[in-house]
Amino acid sequence: MKLILKYKFIIACVIIAFISVFSLMRPGLPPTHDGEYHVMRFQQFYKVLNEGTLYPRWAPDFNNGFGIPLFNYVYPLPNYVAALTHFLGFGFIESFKLNMILATVLGAIFFYLFAEKYWGRVGGLVSSVFYTFSPYHLLDIYVRGSVGEVWSLGLAPGLLFAYLSFYESAKTKYFVLSSVFLALLILAHNILAIVFFGFFLLYAGFLIIGKTSSVKSIVTNVKNLGGIIVIGLGLSSIFWLPAILEKEYVRGLQIFDPTRHFPQLHSLVYSSWGYGFSGSNVMDQMSFQIGIANLIAVVGSLLTLLLIKNKSSTFFSRSIDSREKNNDTNPRGKPRGFEKVLDKKLIIFFLTSFTIVVFLITPFSSFIWKNFPIMSYVQFPWRLLSLVILIASFLAGSLVSDGLITNKQKKFLLAGLLATLSVGLSLKYIKAPFHHQRNDQHYFSRPNFTDGTNSPGNVFNTALFNAELKKTDKRLFSESSEISILSSKSTKEKATIKTKKDEKILVNVAYFPGWEVLVNKRQVPIDVTKDGLFRFSVPKGDSVVEVELKNTRIRLISVIMTILSAFVLFGLFVRDKYIRIKE
């Protein structure tokens, strides 16, 4: 009972998060945009992982069985989670839904932990409720089925919480957590990682430059932030480094024109809850609303600025300045936590961020999308709603902040009203219209799910591949040689080949850098055919042939960087534990 009372607010966050995803517990698969893609990807990822490849990059059965380097470019975190749940006995459809549930619950907890540091426990709970029930959050779950984006929404507040905790305490464990959360954010969804990383840098800059009083402290904090970024990027380099440096080997990575996907202005306030797609001709088939509750929170936070206009102390000026003046540190020489005092500058920072991001979603910002190529990687301007709901939900907690309302009864009453408003306005969005009553095999046995590249526009196909090639069940082919398969895996084939003359052997696999061939344990050159397959020569007589997808130099460097970064974090953690023991 004591434990429940101690963590009652976190338990409340978990319960509320479960309410938002409870309908996913129904049998079957919701009819989302991406759900079926992910079920198929989970199966292919697990197949390669189960064969002993710790970081799969190849999807062997897609593309008419010629394979594609799908996982060299697609975020891996949801796939690993699905692999774990499938190993524990769940199907891939269930694994898709469990991904959504787990990410949503963690996001609710992390958002509470972050907002609680500013607004207190009641304010933190309100922020968490607003975040969980934001329409765009629910759209990602029940309409888009974008499991990577839902994971990003779950991890982004974790990064903010970890960094704020490190900033206020300088504890090594929060440095480690910040690096890990940054890495996980990148592994969860590469596009939203760019969006949230950009905001993280702005937020960190706000803390360091805007709220630290001495130059020495600023320099130290900038160095620490740099360390977090370097290690976080290093941990996740196994994914992003090859994805960037090997992008010329596939085609179709950028198939969307962002300027065709601006929402209509009124739809940001309210729009019907459709299940169609975004685009210039079908704009109303999908909802892009920020959320009435979120907009009320933003307007309410504007009003709080008037209430604190005459306050002489703000959140940071009181905690940091008094700490430096009075040397208020703990026994290890590290600063104590912040006081829960409402901060005018903090609210202005978040309101300004809200205004800028909303502007970028509207057609008025088209000149920015056209003139800054990096913006095209976001693909859809409305995708920035992920950041909008984070900012608005955070501001919602300020309305019941410990620094604004001291009367507990009034605080709980207002918090209850706000939470009820947020949940009530979104109750109709927390379910799918129906569930496909299908099992995993339904998807694995149908050519329309297996024979393409498992992506819109058949992206991720290798640059030279001829998509008109017919499916074949022979990976190694020769008209005059006798080929006996000794072992066959997704990324490795071993066979004996008997031939009466020097012969060319065709490998019915889409060529991608990293494929190597050994003939009698010696590497031989390979030739890429006009259809984007590859072949190699075998000498007259009997030969043992091995065809395997290996790491290129870039992939090998990325693996080394990930391992080294993990060792650095482990070393920091062990050193911190050793220092604590000595003390």
Side-chain angles (χ1 to χ4, degrees), residues 179-195:
S179 300
V180 170
F181 272 120
L182 177 57
L184 290 176
L185 187 61
I186 295 170
L187 297 174
H189 196 273
N190 45 330
I191 296 175
L192 275 193
I194 297 173
V195 174

Side-chain angles (χ1 to χ4, degrees), residues 381-395:
W382 47 259
R383 192 171 247 150
L384 296 178
L385 284 167
S386 297
L387 185 52
V388 168
I389 65 172
L390 183 147
I391 296 169
S393 300
F394 177 77
L395 289 171

Side-chain angles (χ1 to χ4, degrees), residues 564-581:
L564 288 177
S565 299
F567 271 115
V568 169
L569 281 189
F570 181 74
L572 289 173
F573 185 77
V574 170
R575 187 193 67 175
D576 185 62
K577 289 290 184 182
Y578 176 74
I579 293 174
R580 288 179 179 273
I581 292 172

Side-chain angles (χ1 to χ4, degrees), residues 7 159 168 211 357 449 516 574-575:
Y7 295 104
L159 173 61
E168 70 179 5
K211 297 299 180 180
V357 178
F449 291 113
E516 294 182 0
V574 170
R575 187 193 67 175

Side-chain angles (χ1 to χ4, degrees), residues 186-256:
I186 295 170
L187 297 174
H189 196 273
N190 45 330
I191 296 175
L192 275 193
I194 297 173
V195 174
F196 283 126
F197 179 65
F199 180 74
F200 168 67
L201 289 179
L202 291 175
Y203 173 71
F206 168 77
L207 293 182
I208 294 171
I209 299 174
K211 297 299 180 180
T212 307
S213 58
S214 71
V215 174
K216 182 178 179 181
S217 296
I218 290 176
V219 172
T220 300
N221 283 317
V222 168
K223 287 181 179 179
N224 288 333
L225 176 62
I228 289 170
I229 293 172
V230 168
I231 296 177
L233 291 175
L235 277 175
S236 57
S237 62
I238 194 171
F239 164 55
W240 65 263
L241 189 62
I244 293 175
L245 297 184
E246 295 184 335
K247 64 180 184 297
E248 71 269 20
Y249 300 121
V250 292
R251 58 188 176 209
L253 290 183
Q254 182 51 267
I255 61 174
F256 299 105

Side-chain angles (χ1 to χ4, degrees), residues 263-275:
Q264 298 177 32
L265 294 181
H266 69 83
S267 66
L268 294 176
V269 179
Y270 181 81
S271 48
S272 60
W273 195 259
Y275 289 82

